[in-house]
Amino acid sequence: ETGVTQSPTHLIKTRGQQVTLRCSSQSGHNTVSWYQQALGQGPQFIFQYYREEENGRGNFPPRFSGLQFPNYSSELNVNALELDDSALYLCASSLVGQDANYGYTFGSGTRLTVV
Amino acid sequence: AQSVTQLDSQVPVFEEAPVELRCNYSSSVSVYLFWYVQYPNQGLQLLLKYLSGSTLVKGINGFEAEFNKSQTSFHLRKPSVHISDTAEYFCAVRKTSYDKVIFGPGTSLSVIP
């Protein structure tokens, strides 16, 4: 089975710019969740997508937005980048529903640096 | 709302010694519990999970954890650590399979040769 793949692995952007991060879910998974992990901290929940709709959101401003596509891949978009947006962005997929597996499968993340 | 506390931010331990990483959670409802490991510059990998049943859960790489409902704890243990166990360990909770996973702040395990 394929795992979760994220692209790009590293990215440097200037304050005020916009960025799009991409994620391909593990085969058979129907839910994608995005997390922000600042250096030395635990992952913080941004939002979750199930059946192409957002079904949960953490304490992040509207300039953080996302999409889930019919093949369950996903994008995270961040507008008007701020220095504090510098972090590792993690995508995680899981299976919910009758055959739920309850645990996440994570990608290796995208390291975003805002200068 | 659920929350997770990991009491030790850093745990140094000598190679082949036992280790326990502590985790406490708070929740007004039953939750599912997880331990994840993160190696440098990588994503998180699931070590083990407690969904129901036996309170002692065995995971990968020789790790195990015990769920204690009365103490709202889910401590991670390994009887003999290796250098390769050096990593960041995160305890996490989830209310249902549809809900988000909430992570603790992490414990950095350093194995000393």
Side-chain angles (χ1 to χ4, degrees), chain A residues 18-34:
Chain A
Q18 179 267 342
V19 68
T20 297
L21 310 182
R22 294 179 173 82
C23 171
S24 294
S25 302
Q26 178 167 316
S27 176
H29 286 184
N30 55 14
T31 300
V32 173
S33 305
W34 285 91

Side-chain angles (χ1 to χ4, degrees), chain A residues 8-47:
Chain A
T9 55
H10 295 82
L11 203 52
I12 300 175
K13 288 286 190 177
T14 303
R15 189 172 49 184
Q17 285 188 314
Q18 179 267 342
V19 68
T20 297
L21 310 182
R22 294 179 173 82
C23 171
S24 294
S25 302
Q26 178 167 316
S27 176
H29 286 184
N30 55 14
T31 300
V32 173
S33 305
W34 285 91
Y35 285 79
Q36 180 194 66
Q37 186 180 22
L39 206 58
Q41 297 183 23
Q44 298 297 310
F45 176 73
I46 303 175
F47 44 56

Side-chain angles (χ1 to χ4, degrees), chain B residues 42-82:
Chain B
Q42 293 187 28
L44 281 71
Q45 179 184 3
L46 181 65
L47 273 178
L48 48 78
K49 61 187 175 185
Y50 172 78
L51 304 182
S52 65
S54 173
T55 57
L56 184 63
V57 180
K58 293 189 183 297
I60 62 172
N61 300 340
F63 284 94
E64 64 180 32
E66 185 156 20
F67 169 58
N68 188 319
K69 188 175 182 178
S70 62
Q71 297 185 6
T72 60
S73 68
F74 190 54
H75 300 332
L76 181 71
R77 302 185 184 102
K78 186 169 183 178
S80 175
V81 295
H82 303 289

Side-chain angles (χ1 to χ4, degrees), chain A residues 35 37 48 96 101-102, chain B residues 36 38 49 94 97-98 101:
Chain A
Y35 285 79
Q37 186 180 22
Q48 176 171 291
V96 302
N101 62 350
Y102 297 96
Chain B
Y36 286 83
Q38 185 177 33
K49 61 187 175 185
R94 193 176 200 181
S97 68
Y98 291 91
V101 174

